[in-house]
Amino acid sequence: MTKYAPDRETHRAKKELGQNFLVDNTVCPRIAERAKIEGIGVLEVGPGFGALTVELAKRAAKVVAIEIDPDVLPKLRDNLIDYSNTEIILGDAMELDLRTLIRERFGEMPVALVGNLPYYITSPLITKFLLDELPLQSITVMVQKEAGQRLCAKPGTRECGAVSAAVWYYSEPKVLFDVKPGAFRPRPKVMSSVIQLRIRDHAPVDVSSPDALFRVVRAAFGQRRKTAVNAVSSMLDIPKKKVETAIRNAGLPAAVRAEQISLEDFAHLTETLENSQEE
Ligand code: SAM
């Protein structure tokens, strides 16, 4: 055991908080290196005992780390004692007002978000970071391999889900590298991947409201076994005929399913539906 993953007598890892601590000491420097954070600010989610925090602090101008578990704080503070450019915030990353926190803690400094995320809330966390349009230049996070594939899958391809549309709308995503279960204590059952989302300056498609786009996307994926027409019609309570017309106007086949629709086509479909609602 390392000082970043104490033995069971000192700290019982909390499964419900996704506590799988990194003990392979080659992984954290790799994440920090690939995050490209030299001289900028880093917001870390879930520092645990600080294995990754230390590597981030060696490279970044400032690291602010949000941790939900008060039990890890004494040891985390101890491990960060030599890094005066770090600050720990006790709190829930899902609940905190991150926009205000970034403004108060980093001012005008460019900021990247980095973390070995708790797997039980990977998608909600990433969706929140994106939809809140936080002023971030990139998000580099460890996630379950399968979740990483889904998050980075291009809309319109087999592995995509509703979350992939938000990821592609706001960022250019890629899978950086895989990490084996043996790199963690306790060992997770599955492989992990480090993914990176580089936040776009401009959206890749034109829509009058991103909220409307994501409502249609969520509806289409909400009932995966149904065609997009049936799913959108029943989830958004729009007459089937109207959705059929919008699908046809967007140039899509009548029986198209959500995972076959590209972001451009979702944008087109949303605009057509919005316009037909106004008629
Ligand atoms: N970064 C450490 C490492 O790599 O060894 C720990 C990573 S562990 C997978 C996830 C960490 O996130 C844990 O320390 C856990 O307590 C913390 N955590 C879980 N839910 C959280 C939340 N909602 N907000 C902030 N931290 C959270």
Side-chain angles (χ1 to χ4, degrees):
M1 291 290 166
T2 75
K3 62 181 180 171
Y4 299 119
D7 52 37
R8 262 177 240 148
E9 286 86 71
T10 331
H11 179 84
R12 184 193 61 82
K14 295 175 181 138
K15 219 173 162 184
E16 67 281 11
L17 291 181
Q19 292 187 341
N20 298 97
F21 301 103
L22 272 165
V23 290
D24 176 336
N25 55 21
T26 65
V27 177
C28 293
R30 257 181 107 190
I31 300 174
E33 210 50 54
R34 299 293 299 271
K36 301 206 175 68
I37 48 165
E38 280 68 19
I40 68 165
V42 171
L43 183 64
E44 187 191 1
V45 174
F49 295 102
L52 179 57
T53 322
V54 165
E55 295 303 324
L56 299 171
K58 286 180 191 165
R59 295 162 175 87
K62 181 175 181 182
V63 180
V64 175
I66 303 170
E67 172 56 57
I68 201 171
D69 184 3
D71 293 344
V72 306
L73 292 199
K75 187 130 189 70
L76 174 61
R77 288 209 179 93
D78 217 34
N79 287 337
L80 296 180
I81 203 135
D82 294 329
Y83 299 91
S84 59
N85 60 340
T86 58
E87 186 185 339
I88 303 161
I89 293 179
L90 179 62
D92 181 342
M94 277 304 285
E95 300 295 330
L96 286 168
D97 174 357
L98 297 180
R99 175 172 290 278
T100 304
L101 190 149
I102 290 172
R103 192 181 56 242
E104 287 175 356
R105 299 307 208 276
F106 296 103
E108 293 300 303
M109 202 184 278
V111 179
L113 189 143
V114 186
N116 172 13
L117 290 187
Y119 293 167
Y120 74 106
I121 44 167
T122 301
S123 279
L125 271 175
I126 292 182
T127 306
K128 174 182 159 66
F129 303 148
L130 295 171
L131 298 197
D132 286 357
E133 301 192 7
L134 298 179
L136 297 169
Q137 65 176 44
S138 62
I139 297 175
T140 305
V141 284
M142 174 100 71
V143 299
Q144 277 189 6
K145 182 172 175 153
E146 212 177 290
Q149 281 167 343
R150 181 174 293 271
L151 284 157
C152 296
K154 201 165 185 184
T157 64
R158 204 168 45 89
E159 281 169 330
C160 73
V163 71
S164 327
V167 167
W168 277 85
Y169 183 81
Y170 286 110
S171 76
E172 289 180 70
K174 70 173 168 197
V175 176
L176 296 183
F177 57 89
D178 292 341
V179 180
K180 293 192 175 132
F184 304 87
R185 293 283 180 283
R187 281 170 74 112
K189 290 198 177 72
V190 292
M191 285 285 286
S192 301
S193 298
V194 176
I195 62 169
Q196 185 163 69
L197 318 183
R198 300 209 73 84
I199 305 300
R200 296 179 192 271
D201 291 330
H202 304 286
V205 293
D206 243 357
V207 278
S208 38
S209 144
D211 282 352
L213 170 67
F214 300 132
R215 248 195 322 275
V216 172
V217 169
R218 272 195 302 273
F221 280 98
Q223 299 180 319
R224 270 188 101 100
R225 262 177 258 129
K226 290 194 177 177
T227 62
V229 167
N230 286 334
V232 170
S233 162
S234 76
M235 300 278 291
L236 296 183
D237 202 16
I238 304 175
K240 199 171 157 188
K241 278 260 167 287
K242 274 199 168 169
V243 185
E244 279 170 349
T245 309
I247 289 267
R248 201 172 39 247
N249 288 348
L252 294 166
V256 73
R257 286 170 191 278
E259 63 275 17
Q260 298 170 314
I261 305 179
S262 69
L263 196 57
E264 292 73 17
D265 288 340
F266 264 123
H268 195 164
L269 177 59
T270 306
E271 292 302 281
T272 319
L273 276 175
E274 292 278 288
N275 294 338
S276 74
Q277 294 288 80
E278 283 162 16
E279 278 164 15

